[in-house]
Every structure is written in structure tokens, then in C-alpha cells.
Amino acid sequence: MKRADGNRLMAENYRNRYAKKLFNPATIATAIDAVAMEGHRQYRVVQELPFDLSETEAAHSLEEWLKEQKFIYTWRPCHLEQDASRPSITAEFPEMCIVW
């Protein structure tokens, strides 16, 4: 295995662990309940890191759970400014928005 392959695997493993934590159905259910009790009709799964996690196993599992529970979800583009001194440097990645 070449070094680049190893680094790609390390990055992929980290992203998969992050997605598993972020898209945990029990955590999402609790968050949805909390915002619904405040009168909101949507919940955005906010990512702290600018990764495209939409194709991870954890995201697909959450999508299936949301469908079973009759929620509607969409992946919306999110822009993160990475360097305030150079506004042209931004990261774009999808974030999940859940509606009921």
C-alpha cells in the first residue's frame, strides 16, 4: 500500500466514525423532539467539519429510519468560510435538513 492510499483510508475511517456519531437515529430523534417542542417544523443536522457525509453508511441508515418515521429530508448545500482574511476560500458540502 502506498502512502497516499493509507492516508485516504485514514481520512475515510475518520469521516465514517464522525458520520456514525452525527447521524445516530436516537440522537437525531431527541434533537427533533427538542426543536418540535419549541414550535419548529424542521431540524438541520449541523456539521462542525466540512465533509460530504451524504454517501456514508450512517447517512443511508438515518435516511431509512427517517422514511420509516414519515419524516422528509433533503441534502442542502452548506458553505463554510475557511479563511476570513481570504473570503474566496470556502468549502461547500451537503448538510441534512429534516422536515415534518
Side-chain angles (χ1 to χ4, degrees):
M1 177 184 299
K2 299 290 182 184
R3 188 171 204 71
D5 294 331
N7 289 353
R8 183 186 50 75
L9 277 174
M10 284 187 276
E12 187 176 314
N13 287 338
Y14 182 86
R15 290 173 185 219
N16 285 332
R17 284 193 313 272
Y18 181 58
K20 190 174 181 179
K21 178 182 170 189
L22 187 68
F23 298 131
N24 180 312
T27 304
I28 297 296
T30 301
I32 289 172
D33 290 348
V35 297
M37 284 191 268
E38 295 174 354
H40 299 281
R41 302 229 19 222
Q42 70 175 6
Y43 175 71
R44 184 172 61 113
V45 182
V46 178
Q47 295 178 209
E48 295 176 9
L49 303 170
F51 301 145
D52 180 353
L53 302 174
S54 63
E55 294 300 320
T56 62
E57 185 178 321
H60 291 306
S61 294
L62 179 59
E63 289 171 343
E64 287 302 314
W65 180 84
L66 291 168
K67 288 177 193 173
E68 289 171 7
Q69 300 301 316
K70 305 292 187 210
F71 286 103
I72 299 167
Y73 68 89
T74 186
W75 290 95
R76 294 187 178 167
C78 183
H79 303 276
L80 178 68
E81 186 177 295
Q82 292 188 336
D83 188 346
S85 64
R86 297 181 295 174
S88 63
I89 299 176
T90 60
E92 180 177 315
F93 57 96
E95 275 191 336
M96 181 182 273
C97 184
I98 304 164
V99 182
W100 54 92

